[in-house]
Amino acid sequence: MLALAIALDLLAVAAGFLLPALLRFTPAALLEAMIAPAGATTAALGAVLWFAMLSARDAYGPRVMVSKVDQALRVLGAAVPAWVLIHLLAFVTKTSVPFESRLAIGLSLPAVLVALCAVRLTAIRPLARRMYGRLVRGPRLVVGDSERADRLAADLEERDPEGRPTLIVPLAPM
């Protein structure tokens, strides 16, 4: 599951960079730049960089992969610094194509964000929900001994279509 998630994330990032670049460069020019030593170095180190940034934000944790909101926030939090660092890496390695085009650079951030979120929510999340069923169908815990905790537990049980149990643990015994 983890290897598939990493591979899909890297494919989404590559698509996010390559699709806007096709507006300015031909596929042959992109392939030629990718085969060049600077392009190959940027691609290889860029893949490691993206994996490191997503891992640092715990985007591959089981609890994150089953959640829509956590997943989107973690991906967005990792994507912006990784995007900046990949451009710095391209500058250091002197990779010109597609990083010399302001159009390709300007459109690559939104394209990467959309591609990553789409892959995460349409492919990785359903697989993770099947793989980590206990996280999805397990009980919920509400800690507190007030009326507010009782209302929260009742709301959680009422709004849950799967009928998961909600446990209330008072603070006093803790």
Side-chain angles (χ1 to χ4, degrees):
M1 171 67 196
L2 185 59
L4 179 63
I6 293 167
L8 289 175
D9 283 345
L10 293 178
L11 284 174
V13 169
F17 275 106
L18 292 178
L19 290 177
L22 288 173
L23 296 173
R24 172 77 169 79
F25 301 101
T26 64
L30 290 173
L31 183 61
E32 183 180 316
M34 192 72 155
I35 294 173
T41 303
T42 302
L45 291 177
V48 172
L49 176 85
W50 277 93
F51 169 68
M53 292 300 285
L54 287 167
S55 293
R57 295 288 298 170
D58 196 29
Y60 298 112
R63 185 188 60 78
V64 173
M65 287 199 292
V66 298
S67 170
K68 288 179 192 174
V69 174
D70 280 346
Q71 199 159 171
L73 290 176
R74 305 255 179 173
V75 166
L76 292 175
V80 173
W83 182 83
V84 170
L85 289 174
I86 198 81
H87 288 295
L88 179 63
L89 177 65
F91 175 75
V92 169
T93 60
K94 300 192 181 346
T95 306
S96 59
V97 175
F99 299 99
E100 69 183 9
S101 169
R102 290 183 300 222
L103 174 67
I105 288 175
L107 292 177
S108 67
L109 179 61
V112 165
L113 293 176
V114 167
L116 264 176
C117 286
V119 163
R120 281 298 188 120
L121 295 177
T122 61
I124 294 173
R125 183 172 178 268
L127 291 172
R129 287 179 65 85
R130 284 191 202 108
M131 186 91 158
Y132 306 113
R134 283 188 71 189
L135 287 175
V136 177
R137 292 181 297 276
R140 287 176 298 223
L141 178 65
V142 176
V143 178
D145 50 4
S146 67
E147 194 175 303
R148 183 175 178 203
D150 294 334
R151 281 195 316 261
L152 176 62
D155 278 350
L156 287 172
E157 283 184 349
E158 181 181 307
R159 294 181 185 181
D160 188 14
E162 297 172 1
R164 298 184 321 176
T166 301
L167 307 172
I168 301 173
V169 177
L171 281 174
M174 296 183 129

